[in-house]
Amino acid sequence: MFSASQSSRAQFLDKARQAREERRELKERERAAVQLQALVRRFLCRCRLQREIRREVEDFFGTNECGSNKRSALSVFRIARKLLFVFSPKEDKERFEKLCRCILNSMDVENEPKVWYVSLALSKDLTLLWIKQIKDILWFCCEFLKQLKPDILQDSKLVNLHLTMLVTFTDTSTWKILRGKGETLRPAMNHICANIMGHLNQKGFYSVLQILLTNGLARSRPSLSKGSLTAIFSLALRPVVAAQFSDNLLRSFLIHVMSVPAIMTHLATLTPERLAVMGSHDLFRKFILFLSRESQCRDVCVCLEGSHTLCLLGNLVFLGSLNDQVLEEETAHFVGVLIHMLSYCQKYVSQKKSNLTHWHPVLGWFSQTVDYGLNESMPLLTKQLQHLWGVHMIRILFSDVLSKKLLENQEIAQLPAQPISPQNSLPMKNLFKRAFQKSASVRNILKPVGGKRVDSAEVQKVCSICVLYQTTLTTLTQIRLQILTGLTYLDDLLPKLWAFICELGPQGGLKLFLECLNNDTEESKRLLAMLMLFCDCSRHLITILDDIEVYEEQISFKLEELVTISSFLNSFVFKMIWDGIVENARGETLELFHSVHGWLMVLYERDCRRRFAPEDHWLRKDLKPSVLFQELDKDKKRAQLLLQYIPHVIPHKNRVLLFRNMVTKEKEKLGLVETSSASPHVTHITIRRSRMLEDGYEQLRQLSQNAMKGVIRVKFVNDLGVDEAGIDQDGVFKEFLEEIIKKVFDPALNLFKTTSGDERLYPSPTSYIHENYLQLFEFVGKMLGKAVYEGIVVDVPFASFFLSQLLGHHHSVFYSSVDELPSLDSEFYKNLTSIKRYDGDISDLGLTLSYDEDVMGQLVCHELVPGGKTIPVTNENKISYIHLMAHFRMHTQIKNQTAALISGFRSIIKPEWIRMFSAPELQRLISGDNAEIDLEDLKKHTVYYGGFHGSHRVIIWLWDILANDFSPEERAMFLKFVTSCSRPPLLGFAYLKPPFSIRCVEVSDDQDTGDTLGSVLRGFFTIRKKEPGGRLPTSSTCFNLLKLPNYSKKSILREKLRYAISMNTGFELS
């Protein structure tokens, strides 16, 4: 019973709780319903009120222009107040436009003070309300300006409307109320305008102008009209002028207005009056002085980031080009600001493409997202930046350097009068004129003299300017060549800069800069930047000048100065390497090294091609080859770097020795040298004499790289299919190699052609007519490589440009096809350079960017660029045409053949082995020394057989005839007769393999069975079986063997030998 009462009690409590919950929910629903009804009623009431107000506004403006009704200013104020109360930019856009027009119309009415909207500012009761209203209206104008696109016609009209509003109510100059007696009110009204302007600035007025300017100007053609641009710029200047050029407003102006791409160019084009206003306020000077404070410059750059900092830089440079006086007076500040801004941009410049970089048309790979809207204005920005390296600004900035006088004595050279025919005088007129001008002013040769303190103001100023241009080169990576071309445009800048460098320090030049390398001070860095700029610009200049300009006209530098400069550079680079600076170089030091080394190598290669320096000029007398070789054996880094960068400082013969040592070491490593414990693997090939090239190609092209480097034994088969007598101990292979090379390089085969003039070899452009021609070229490359590898000299004279390609020089950024063109076709080169010097309109010649060639009787047109045959050659593109034509003739036409030959050559000879040789030196490595034959050296290393010996009567006669009776040409023919090459080995006859030999013979070659005891004794004692007077000397070039009959008279020997070498008899296997 007790439990039953408990359960009923619980049920009762549950029911009571549920009832309470239901009552609470009911009250909540009732309250929510009341709240919803209130909200709905309020919303509907508000909508009704908005509709009524908008209807009232529309009724007020009506269909006619309000100006014609002359609405009172008070009624306009009231209706504006109502409109602003319910204002929504989307719904009330047109109503707001009508309000603006109404207000502007009211301001134009004559002699109606009550109509003038601005008159309400004079009412005590309404002044504050009016000021608030005009502030709101003007800010809504700004909001609309942000969204409008000036390139759309309708939007451009609205831009003008809102700008007119802003112009009218931020300045009192157009207010009619202030005319006459109202003039006394002007200070108060100006104060109101300043208040309005301050309010707009706080809200972000400059950001609005920046958006509008960018929308209207950041494109190839501006869409802002002259009036709009004038208005915007006037508005932008008003706060700055009103605040008396305070730092805050100068900062805003620089960040928001001066950073708009090419705005100064657009001002100069559309409204130059605004630039005059800027000039009257001396704004350029104020900008420079403001930015010259490092903290403020950094703040502006950080706000703008990379791309827009560059735009600000462009506008400042353009302004600078228009303000010579300020530029001259504030050079130091101007240069400092530009360096800071460029250095800031450089932080974002990346060396390579990655997932984190974006392409920038001026800066290259850039570690920020690039606003691609700015891309359209990049050509204009580039034009602005070009003023920095334009002649005008260079003359101002480098005035201290350019004011130096290099001309010591004005002596008119006495030129002999020569009759010049009228037809010859015209094309040569310009050349004679320039040559005469050069000769008319003879200057002293510039050499390092020293004497100028490096801490002087003049030196520091020049160093800063050099730092500026060096920073420009490293930052504006995509227009680097433009900058270099601009800096080299003035012929006298670089020699005068060199003269300036020569005067620095106590001794001048070298010692000072070497000391700078070891000092990590700011002064040292600036001095090295000057050297680096000099090297970069000079290298660019010499690269683009042709031989006439360098050697005859001597533009910028005299040849004697190039000798002095190259000596300085050679020493500087050598010291940098040998003193261990390059080993640990990073950043700026490494850049400096590459800059100086690049200029040095351009001079060295020019000298190799056509000499201007004295003999042994490039050698370092203080470097002992033995020390270098020891360090190379120990793998010392500095020795390896020296060999990599400036091998020319080592005498040529030592480099050849080094090359031979490298080959020998590789042979030992590959097991190709016979030792007491092992013999190298030998490859045997059988060659039919009648099909020597075909058999050699088929059997050798399949060999592996190591087998080609190894021992190859040749067995010849004659026309009857019988094996020829003779054992190949390298001699038969030498003959095979020489015969193969003679055949493949024969122009009649059309694998190779000869140049016009000196008849040097290069791949034939029409060699493609051969089946498998590229495999043939690869085979030729291997054979040539094998000859060099084995030290077998072959008489194959290559064209200089082809040797450069074999060395890989054509991949260098400083390589110029035009410079090498004379080695292919000197006449063609003259024709091209005459185009370069043509004074008239080149388009009159009717040339196009194409090349017509007669290929086996058919005229073939090669386009130098896609669509080239339709693109005329003009004065603007003639330099490109010359380079394209040279590149086509020497590279494009034969690039596949050259690549195949180089591939074969490098499979035997490593590229780094021959990199230490110049093109002429590589030719000597292939074909032997072009020096006169050293008979004493030959005599010393000659081996005698068949009874001959050094004191034998016939041998004494032979050496006497060679020394006293034969001309140098005949001695060369004699050497070719015996060895198949007219040039001696590079390292002397000790390195001739097999050694030079002379053998006494009694019978003709077909009866000769070799030396016997009897024949040796008869030869030794000069006993003749019969008089050999009718027989000629013969030779076995494969063994470098001269077969000499035992003549009875010296005269007979002289006569027979001369006849034999001139007829080239002999040349067969013994």
Side-chain angles (χ1 to χ4, degrees):
M1 181 179 171
F2 183 73
S3 61
S5 66
Q6 273 188 336
S7 64
S8 62
R9 183 169 176 273
Q11 286 174 357
F12 174 76
L13 290 171
D14 263 354
K15 284 180 181 177
R17 184 175 54 75
Q18 285 175 5
R20 277 198 310 275
E21 289 287 332
E22 285 173 3
R23 286 195 300 277
R24 190 168 72 250
E25 283 180 15
L26 186 63
K27 283 181 181 178
E28 280 292 320
R29 279 199 298 272
E30 285 175 354
R31 191 178 65 77
V34 170
Q35 195 173 2
L36 278 171
Q37 287 171 4
L39 284 169
V40 169
R41 280 199 298 272
R42 187 168 71 187
F43 173 74
L44 291 172
C45 183
R46 196 164 63 243
C47 286
R48 188 168 59 252
L49 179 63
Q50 286 174 348
R51 281 197 301 274
E52 287 173 4
I53 288 174
R54 286 185 173 118
R55 196 178 302 117
E56 187 181 344
V57 169
E58 285 175 1
D59 290 344
F60 178 82
F61 292 127
T63 52
N64 298 326
E65 289 291 325
C66 62
S68 60
N69 301 329
K70 293 187 180 177
R71 305 276 186 187
S72 70
L74 187 61
S75 63
V76 173
F77 171 77
R78 286 172 179 160
I79 206 71
R81 200 172 178 197
K82 289 181 179 180
L83 178 61
L84 294 174
F85 179 68
V86 298
F87 186 72
S88 163
K90 284 185 181 176
E91 292 186 41
D92 298 312
K93 187 169 175 277
E94 289 184 16
R95 295 181 188 91
F96 184 75
E97 289 164 18
K98 287 178 181 177
L99 173 65
C100 290
R101 288 195 176 91
C102 185
I103 290 171
L104 290 172
N105 286 335
S106 78
M107 297 293 288
D108 288 337
V109 175
E110 295 288 339
N111 303 319
E112 296 277 356
K114 290 185 179 180
V115 176
W116 296 330
Y117 176 69
V118 78
S119 65
L120 298 174
L122 303 177
S123 167
K124 283 184 181 180
D125 300 333
L126 298 176
T127 301
L128 294 177
L129 291 173
W130 180 83
I131 290 171
K132 183 181 183 314
Q133 187 180 91
I134 194 65
K135 283 180 180 177
D136 290 342
I137 290 172
L138 293 181
W139 183 246
F140 283 130
C141 286
C142 291
E143 291 287 358
F144 280 117
L145 283 172
K146 279 200 279 190
Q147 298 161 17
L148 294 171
K149 306 290 180 193
D151 51 332
I152 300 169
L153 180 61
Q154 190 57 39
D155 279 15
S156 70
K157 291 178 181 177
L158 295 177
V159 166
N160 287 335
L161 173 66
H162 297 311
L163 284 175
T164 308
M165 281 294 291
L166 287 163
V167 168
T168 303
F169 292 102
T170 55
D171 185 74
T172 60
S173 58
T174 58
W175 294 2
K176 294 186 172 69
I177 198 169
L178 301 180
R179 292 178 185 171
K181 293 179 182 178
E183 189 64 40
T184 54
L185 301 171
R186 191 173 294 277
M189 294 293 108
N190 283 341
H191 188 70
I192 290 173
C193 282
N195 188 317
I196 294 168
M197 201 79 244
H199 171 77
L200 293 175
N201 279 337
Q202 281 182 339
K203 299 271 279 183
F205 180 58
Y206 275 113
S207 296
V208 173
L209 295 183
Q210 183 180 15
I211 292 167
L212 182 60
L213 285 167
T214 304
N215 287 340
L217 299 180
R219 51 187 62 243
S220 50
R221 291 184 64 186
S223 55
L224 285 173
S225 65
K226 177 180 177 178
S228 299
L229 188 57
T230 304
I232 295 168
F233 210 76
S234 298
L235 286 167
L237 273 176
R238 277 177 186 174
V240 181
V241 175
Q244 295 183 334
F245 310 99
S246 70
D247 283 356
N248 278 343
L249 283 158
L250 276 175
R251 176 182 178 275
S252 294
F253 192 89
L254 285 165
I255 289 172
H256 297 290
V257 179
M258 289 298 290
S259 67
V260 174
I263 185 170
M264 292 297 114
T265 302
H266 292 301
L267 281 178
T269 308
L270 293 173
T271 170
E273 303 84 14
R274 292 300 96 195
L275 283 178
V277 171
M278 285 183 75
S280 67
H281 291 302
D282 204 12
L283 267 180
F284 175 61
R285 190 193 304 272
K286 290 180 172 67
F287 291 153
I288 294 304
L289 293 175
F290 173 80
L291 291 168
S292 65
R293 285 169 275 178
E294 195 175 324
S295 58
Q296 289 171 333
C297 189
R298 191 187 310 112
D299 170 46
V300 168
C301 290
V302 169
C303 288
L304 290 174
E305 296 189 319
S307 288
H308 288 279
T309 299
L310 194 66
C311 295
L312 171 59
L313 183 80
N315 285 317
L316 288 175
V317 167
F318 184 80
L319 265 184
S321 68
L322 302 176
N323 291 272
D324 291 1
Q325 187 182 345
V326 179
L327 201 59
E328 287 166 11
E329 293 168 3
E330 304 293 345
T331 298
H333 288 134
F334 177 73
V335 169
V337 167
L338 263 55
I339 290 171
H340 194 99
M341 292 173 78
L342 284 165
S343 301
Y344 182 81
C345 291
Q346 203 176 76
K347 291 178 187 174
Y348 296 97
V349 176
S350 179
Q351 293 302 314
K352 58 183 184 294
K353 181 182 180 181
S354 73
N355 293 334
L356 302 173
T357 57
H358 305 267
W359 182 252
H360 190 285
V362 173
L363 300 165
W365 291 113
F366 199 61
S367 61
Q368 277 186 323
T369 52
V370 178
D371 179 358
Y372 287 100
L374 295 180
N375 278 1
E376 280 192 66
S377 55
M378 279 301 150
L380 282 174
L381 171 60
T382 307
K383 276 190 178 177
Q384 283 188 321
L385 291 170
Q386 281 169 356
H387 287 283
L388 183 57
W389 49 89
V391 172
H392 183 69
M393 199 168 284
I394 285 174
R395 285 196 190 281
I396 293 172
L397 295 181
F398 279 110
S399 57
D400 290 349
V401 173
L402 290 167
S403 62
K404 292 186 174 301
K405 287 194 171 129
L406 295 180
L407 303 175
E408 296 297 331
N409 42 12
Q410 303 288 331
E411 294 177 3
I412 305 301
Q414 298 298 312
L415 295 175
Q418 292 179 352
I420 301 171
S421 59
Q423 64 267 33
N424 290 337
S425 65
L426 287 174
M428 298 298 285
K429 187 176 92 174
N430 193 37
L431 195 147
F432 273 132
K433 184 179 170 188
R434 294 194 69 162
F436 182 81
Q437 287 170 347
K438 290 282 173 191
S439 61
S441 49
V442 182
R443 70 165 185 247
N444 283 359
I445 304 308
L446 301 170
K447 294 181 180 178
V449 289
K452 187 168 283 187
R453 289 178 61 89
V454 293
D455 56 357
S456 65
E458 181 193 5
V459 173
Q460 291 302 310
K461 179 185 172 185
V462 174
C463 283
S464 293
I465 294 161
C466 290
V467 170
L468 166 63
Y469 284 111
Q470 197 55 44
T471 313
T472 308
L473 286 168
T474 51
T475 306
L476 311 181
T477 57
Q478 298 311 296
I479 52 174
R480 181 182 169 86
L481 289 179
Q482 276 188 38
I483 300 165
L484 287 169
T485 303
L487 288 167
T488 54
Y489 186 81
L490 287 174
D491 283 352
D492 57 342
L493 176 62
L494 290 174
K496 286 181 177 179
L497 190 58
W498 172 243
F500 192 83
I501 289 169
C502 288
E503 292 174 0
L504 295 177
Q507 284 89 31
L510 186 63
K511 190 177 178 187
L512 170 71
F513 288 107
L514 288 172
E515 285 171 2
C516 288
L517 285 171
N518 299 313
N519 298 334
D520 197 25
T521 62
E522 199 58 40
E523 187 181 85
S524 296
K525 286 179 182 175
R526 288 150 72 88
L527 282 166
L528 291 172
M530 175 162 57
L531 176 63
M532 196 168 164
L533 182 75
F534 171 72
C535 290
D536 285 344
C537 294
S538 303
R539 178 182 62 199
H540 179 74
L541 175 69
I542 293 295
T543 304
I544 60 177
L545 293 180
D546 58 43
D547 282 358
I548 293 171
E549 291 164 326
V550 172
Y551 292 92
E552 274 83 41
E553 296 178 10
Q554 298 188 28
I555 288 176
S556 283
F557 294 108
K558 296 174 79 66
L559 290 179
E560 294 88 344
E561 283 162 4
L562 291 181
V563 173
T564 310
I565 292 168
S566 59
S567 177
F568 167 85
L569 299 172
N570 211 30
S571 300
F572 189 80
V573 173
F574 173 74
K575 291 284 187 186
M576 278 192 84
I577 294 172
W578 205 243
D579 293 350
I581 296 168
V582 177
E583 288 177 46
N584 310 308
R586 297 283 182 278
E588 290 173 354
T589 310
L590 196 59
E591 284 177 20
L592 170 72
F593 172 76
H594 287 308
S595 181
V596 179
H597 174 258
W599 173 210
L600 171 67
M601 294 316 292
V602 164
L603 286 175
Y604 174 68
E605 282 161 22
R606 178 79 77 160
D607 184 60
C608 289
R609 202 167 57 247
R610 183 173 169 185
R611 206 145 189 81
F612 64 79
E615 201 70 35
D616 296 341
H617 170 74
W618 302 98
L619 301 181
R620 290 292 304 181
K621 303 290 190 295
D622 53 345
L623 176 66
K624 291 182 179 176
S626 57
V627 174
L628 178 71
F629 293 169
Q630 285 169 14
E631 294 208 2
L632 283 169
D633 289 337
K634 293 174 187 174
D635 289 333
K636 288 281 184 75
K637 186 71 176 173
R638 69 175 187 175
Q640 292 169 346
L641 288 170
L642 191 82
L643 205 59
Q644 179 186 345
Y645 286 110
I646 47 169
H648 58 255
V649 300
I650 310 160
H652 178 239
K653 286 205 171 180
N654 294 101
R655 276 179 281 143
V656 177
L657 265 174
L658 188 61
F659 170 75
R660 296 264 44 108
N661 288 344
M662 288 173 172
V663 172
T664 304
K665 280 181 184 175
E666 188 186 75
K667 283 185 174 182
E668 289 169 356
K669 187 179 174 184
L670 297 174
L672 303 177
V673 179
E674 190 151 351
T675 62
S676 56
S677 57
S679 293
H681 171 75
V682 177
T683 303
H684 293 276
I685 59 171
T686 303
I687 303 294
R688 291 170 291 177
R689 277 199 179 271
S690 57
R691 293 182 58 80
M692 193 178 289
L693 179 57
E694 293 83 348
D695 288 354
Y697 171 68
E698 285 301 325
Q699 293 182 59
L700 291 178
R701 75 186 182 94
Q702 306 293 345
L703 291 184
S704 68
Q705 190 172 314
N706 287 353
M708 273 298 293
K709 291 179 178 181
V711 179
I712 300 173
R713 296 277 182 245
V714 178
K715 181 170 278 296
F716 279 123
V717 175
N718 66 19
D719 292 345
L720 301 172
V722 178
D723 289 355
E724 290 188 5
I727 300 167
D728 185 4
Q729 292 296 328
D730 295 334
V732 182
F733 177 72
K734 176 177 179 281
E735 184 194 0
F736 161 72
L737 191 63
E738 288 166 348
E739 283 292 305
I740 283 275
I741 284 174
K742 188 190 285 187
K743 285 181 186 295
V744 294
F745 287 107
D746 184 354
L749 188 63
N750 196 35
L751 275 179
F752 287 83
K753 276 183 79 171
T754 55
T755 60
S756 59
D758 53 1
E759 296 194 342
R760 291 183 164 267
L761 294 159
Y762 70 99
S764 169
T766 55
S767 54
Y768 57 79
I769 61 171
H770 290 280
E771 191 180 356
N772 302 327
Y773 74 103
L774 292 180
Q775 288 92 323
L776 263 172
F777 271 102
E778 189 176 356
F779 171 69
V780 172
K782 286 180 179 178
M783 290 291 97
L784 191 63
K786 179 69 173 171
V788 174
Y789 193 77
E790 300 297 346
I792 299 170
V793 289
V794 287
D795 210 352
V796 183
F798 285 114
S800 173
F801 80 89
F802 179 68
L803 290 166
S804 294
Q805 293 183 39
L806 205 55
L807 288 166
H809 289 172
H810 60 299
H811 294 305
S812 165
V813 290
F814 312 118
Y815 180 81
S816 170
S817 301
V818 176
D819 289 341
E820 294 274 19
L821 189 58
S823 69
L824 171 68
D825 190 335
S826 55
E827 199 59 39
F828 187 67
Y829 170 75
K830 282 178 189 171
N831 293 339
L832 278 184
T833 48
S834 68
I835 289 173
K836 179 180 175 180
R837 287 172 167 72
Y838 189 71
D839 285 338
D841 186 357
I842 205 77
S843 57
D844 294 343
L845 302 180
L847 298 169
T848 60
L849 295 182
S850 60
Y851 172 61
D852 294 330
E853 184 186 22
D854 184 357
V855 179
M856 292 178 285
Q858 285 190 322
L859 192 67
V860 178
C861 178
H862 304 282
E863 292 189 327
L864 303 177
V865 294
K869 60 184 176 186
T870 61
I871 303 172
V873 176
T874 62
N875 287 346
E876 286 71 38
N877 67 8
K878 67 180 180 182
I879 299 297
S880 294
Y881 169 73
I882 291 165
H883 282 271
L884 286 167
M885 186 68 90
H887 184 77
F888 177 80
R889 286 288 308 272
M890 293 193 297
H891 297 273
T892 311
Q893 268 195 316
I894 57 170
K895 68 177 179 183
N896 295 331
Q897 294 92 320
T898 304
L901 188 141
I902 289 173
S903 169
F905 185 77
R906 288 183 178 174
S907 68
I908 309 293
I909 302 293
K910 291 181 180 177
E912 57 268 27
W913 289 352
I914 57 167
R915 210 169 278 146
M916 53 184 168
F917 301 108
S918 64
E921 288 171 342
L922 180 60
Q923 181 66 66
R924 288 163 68 189
L925 192 68
I926 294 168
S927 300
D929 209 331
N930 51 8
E932 208 171 300
I933 297 164
D934 185 346
L935 287 176
E936 287 303 316
D937 183 47
L938 178 58
K939 195 189 300 185
K940 186 177 171 185
H941 295 100
T942 298
V943 179
Y944 302 102
Y945 299 104
F948 277 161
H949 50 84
S951 302
H952 195 286
R953 181 181 62 179
V954 174
I955 298 302
I956 291 170
W957 289 344
L958 173 68
W959 294 124
D960 187 57
I961 289 166
L962 287 171
N964 300 316
D965 296 347
F966 276 20
S967 65
E969 291 76 21
E970 286 176 316
R971 285 195 285 272
M973 288 164 66
F974 167 76
L975 189 62
K976 185 167 185 175
F977 176 72
V978 181
T979 66
S980 81
C981 186
S982 59
R983 296 177 176 189
L986 269 179
L987 299 173
F989 288 99
Y991 287 84
L992 185 66
K993 299 290 186 232
F996 193 90
S997 312
I998 303 175
R999 178 167 162 253
C1000 179
V1001 291
E1002 297 180 314
V1003 292
S1004 61
D1005 285 348
D1006 55 349
Q1007 297 172 329
D1008 188 9
T1009 56
D1011 288 345
T1012 63
L1013 180 61
S1015 69
V1016 170
L1017 287 171
R1018 281 193 295 275
F1020 188 82
F1021 293 110
T1022 324
I1023 302 167
R1024 287 177 289 279
K1025 271 186 170 181
K1026 58 179 179 178
E1027 176 58 49
R1031 293 190 48 231
L1032 292 171
T1034 57
S1035 65
S1036 290
T1037 57
C1038 53
F1039 291 115
N1040 298 326
L1041 173 65
L1042 173 64
K1043 298 174 183 178
L1044 202 58
N1046 198 342
Y1047 292 115
S1048 58
K1049 290 182 182 177
K1050 182 181 176 182
S1051 58
I1052 297 172
L1053 170 60
R1054 180 171 52 242
E1055 179 194 335
K1056 298 296 181 185
L1057 185 61
R1058 185 169 271 151
Y1059 183 78
I1061 64 171
S1062 60
M1063 297 304 292
N1064 202 17
T1065 55
F1067 207 79
E1068 58 188 306
L1069 179 68
S1070 288

